[in-house]
Amino acid sequence: MRNFSRRLIIHYVKSIVITSGKGGVGKTTVTAYLGRALASLGSRVALLDADFGLNNLDVALGLEARVTYDIADVIENRCRVRQALLETDVRNLYLLPSAHGYLGEHVTAQNLRLVLNSLAVTFDYTLVDCPAGIEAGFNRAVGACDGAIVVTTPHISALRDANKVIALLCSYGKQPTLVINRVRGDLLAGGKIPGREDIERVLKVRVDGMIPETDGVYGSVGMPQAPFEQLARRIHFGTGEPLDLAADYRGFFGRLRNKFKKNGGAK
């Protein structure tokens, strides 16, 4: 059985791989917003897109038109790390873009580790956006990083896939934590999806963040900031608890809100 402890350790880690058991759970969005939140705390943060097959962290950050060099150029000595870094619209937050095209044997865990070591000289954190699943890209990124966060949704199939990823991460000697994304507070309050304590008990890992379901997209006013700010404080300072997303749906007014939502709002 995996050793589950509530002791907070990630804030001592320089490089954190952010991965998931399946695609479509919001891994890249979590990477981008967590990076923003950590930078807002005063940390210098680099985001590294290691998803060479489905890379879109530059798009999520609105930087795709500014990419000149990427991680392939760094690994193959066509430029230095600092030349490939792109400054975002958030102070202290930078992106090292993914490669567009086949890199072959040049991309190894050892080469990624060399890049991460270079970034560690300047940055407090490097968040590595990892390919979903458990194939070569996952093993490469995980082998290069110090810590790990698994992003999942509160649905049985996603949690089952997350459990497989957690087991693999533990085999690498890493104790990951979880971020539960796309949580509907009304379903959580009604007991129709598992809550934080249920997930921790079954998966034997700590949940560091609960992110609500939203219609917002990256960079829009619809994306909530508070859950990512809480997650960043928990990682950086080791304090605070994940937000209670069911709180607004409890009690008399919560039941009214839930009923209103079920009926589709005002006509």
Side-chain angles (χ1 to χ4, degrees):
M1 179 179 294
R2 292 188 290 269
N3 180 27
F4 169 49
S5 170
R6 288 183 180 274
R7 183 170 60 93
L8 293 170
I9 59 174
I10 287 188
H11 55 291
Y12 296 113
V13 175
K14 278 280 188 177
S15 57
I16 303 173
V17 64
I18 300 181
T19 186
S20 63
K22 62 187 300 183
V25 298
K27 170 179 57 64
T28 296
T29 299
V30 169
T31 302
Y33 267 95
L34 175 57
R36 291 175 68 97
L38 284 169
S40 72
L41 293 176
S43 296
R44 288 181 60 83
V45 182
L47 305 180
L48 192 161
D49 193 345
D51 191 345
F52 302 117
L54 299 172
N55 49 327
N56 57 11
L57 190 53
D58 57 338
V59 176
L61 292 163
L63 298 174
E64 67 275 14
R66 291 175 47 197
V67 175
T68 301
Y69 297 111
D70 57 37
I71 191 172
D73 296 306
V74 174
I75 290 174
E76 296 177 352
N77 296 314
R78 289 191 290 269
C79 73
R80 297 179 180 179
V81 171
R82 61 181 178 82
Q83 292 177 286
L85 286 169
L86 296 176
E87 188 173 4
T88 72
D89 62 346
V90 177
R91 185 179 181 183
N92 294 325
L93 180 64
Y94 293 79
L95 170 69
L96 180 55
S98 180
H100 295 269
Y102 178 69
L103 292 180
E105 61 184 11
H106 293 290
V107 180
T108 64
Q110 181 179 6
N111 282 335
L112 280 180
R113 168 54 72 179
L114 291 174
V115 173
L116 291 171
N117 288 343
S118 296
L119 292 169
V121 175
T122 303
F123 294 95
D124 300 305
Y125 295 97
T126 299
L127 305 183
V128 179
D129 190 8
C130 174
I134 54 175
E135 303 303 327
F138 166 85
N139 291 285
R140 180 171 53 215
V142 169
C145 291
D146 302 316
I149 294 174
V150 179
V151 180
T152 184
T153 62
H155 304 101
I156 297 301
S157 61
L159 291 171
R160 180 178 297 173
D161 289 339
N163 190 44
K164 297 174 183 176
V165 170
I166 291 166
L168 279 174
L169 288 167
C170 290
S171 73
Y172 274 93
K174 294 175 173 60
Q175 180 63 48
T177 62
L178 274 177
V179 170
I180 313 299
N181 194 27
R182 297 178 180 165
V183 179
R184 279 185 54 179
D186 57 333
L187 297 184
L188 187 59
K192 295 181 180 179
I193 57 175
R196 171 193 170 193
E197 293 183 354
D198 298 322
I199 293 171
E200 288 183 334
R201 184 173 60 254
V202 172
L203 298 187
K204 303 294 188 299
V205 292
R206 189 181 66 243
V207 173
D208 271 345
M210 300 282 283
I211 313 298
E213 183 178 67
T214 175
D215 293 330
V217 296
Y218 183 81
S220 75
V221 295
M223 272 307 282
Q225 304 297 318
F228 294 100
E229 292 168 355
Q230 170 276 321
L231 176 59
R233 288 193 298 271
R234 190 162 167 85
I235 289 173
H236 187 65
F237 298 114
T239 59
E241 296 293 322
L243 297 182
D244 181 3
L245 301 182
D248 288 343
Y249 295 92
R250 297 192 186 102
F252 174 74
F253 290 105
R255 289 192 294 272
L256 283 180
R257 183 180 291 106
N258 198 17
K259 183 176 180 180
F260 185 78
K261 185 170 183 177
K262 288 179 178 179
N263 291 337
K267 304 296 183 183

